[in-house]
Amino acid sequence: MGMPVQDVSTGWTAEMARGLPEDGKRYEVLDGELFVTPSPTWDHQTVLALLHRSLESYVRLHELGWLRWSPADIEFSPTRLVQPDLLVVPARAEG
């Protein structure tokens, strides 16, 4: 069971955001502030698919790593958690 959403948007940590319910919304924490966005639109997803197709061949050709879709949490610090639409996992980062 997830924790209840706070009335204020500040004072959040990555751990707190991970405890929120999986309701299709994107929860990100930027310097302790909670940002909530709805699921992407169909147009957004179409553009994302085209971008993925274009980038995937380049990343593979140059052996840069792996292209990954959201959802994938990236935690930069305890108060900074983001979820990019697309990300490249560098080949040297996976062990």
Side-chain angles (χ1 to χ4, degrees), residues 20-32:
L20 293 170
E22 298 210 17
D23 56 5
K25 295 180 181 169
R26 180 184 307 213
Y27 294 99
E28 296 180 300
V29 179
L30 302 175
D31 298 326

Side-chain angles (χ1 to χ4, degrees), residues 1-81:
M1 174 183 237
M3 61 187 242
V5 177
Q6 294 179 328
D7 290 335
V8 295
S9 63
T10 59
W12 282 84
T13 65
E15 183 178 343
M16 292 165 68
R18 283 194 189 99
L20 293 170
E22 298 210 17
D23 56 5
K25 295 180 181 169
R26 180 184 307 213
Y27 294 99
E28 296 180 300
V29 179
L30 302 175
D31 298 326
E33 187 172 350
L34 180 67
F35 290 84
V36 183
T37 54
S39 298
T41 64
W42 284 106
D43 287 342
H44 181 96
Q45 291 288 24
T46 300
V47 170
L48 186 58
L50 294 171
L51 182 59
H52 182 276
R53 190 177 310 148
S54 297
L55 287 174
E56 183 178 35
S57 58
Y58 182 86
V59 169
R60 190 178 306 159
L61 176 67
H62 296 282
E63 298 179 355
L64 298 175
W66 297 266
L67 194 59
R68 296 294 184 248
W69 295 90
S70 185
D73 289 341
I74 306 297
E75 184 175 339
F76 290 105
S77 75
T79 59
R80 187 173 275 281
L81 175 75

